[in-house]
Amino acid sequence: GRGFFNAKKAGTGQLRVGADGPFKAFVNRKEVAGNPRASNPITAHLATVNVRWKKGRNEIVVAMRTNDGRAWGFAASAT
């Protein structure tokens, strides 16, 4: 999945990601989190990482494996 976070100014913030399958998370094309063992059921905040936001639009990408068809999705939030 792909989304964006608009930061009013550059600085440190947090990205929280939960998934029910193995995943990697990227901010502005830089890998910031991942869990190759994530599985069902989904955990809303499986990973919480400090990230450096640039002023303006920041791209967030979460890549997830299907865990042999058992994975349903992910959740992400940014501050």
Side-chain angles (χ1 to χ4, degrees):
R2 180 176 178 226
F4 299 94
F5 176 73
N6 289 308
K8 292 182 182 181
K9 61 181 181 176
T12 303
Q14 288 191 325
L15 177 66
R16 290 173 296 285
V17 181
D20 62 355
F23 73 92
K24 288 185 179 182
F26 303 84
V27 172
N28 297 323
R29 299 181 182 236
K30 178 182 175 190
E31 185 177 338
V32 296
N35 186 331
R37 294 186 183 95
S39 63
N40 303 85
I42 191 170
T43 302
H45 297 130
L46 190 60
T48 299
V49 293
N50 292 327
V51 295
R52 180 87 180 148
W53 300 121
K54 64 181 184 179
K55 182 179 179 179
R57 189 165 116 155
N58 293 268
E59 180 184 44
I60 301 167
V61 174
V62 178
M64 193 175 92
R65 295 186 59 192
T66 62
N67 209 16
D68 295 321
R70 293 184 301 271
W72 286 52
F74 67 89
S77 62
T79 56

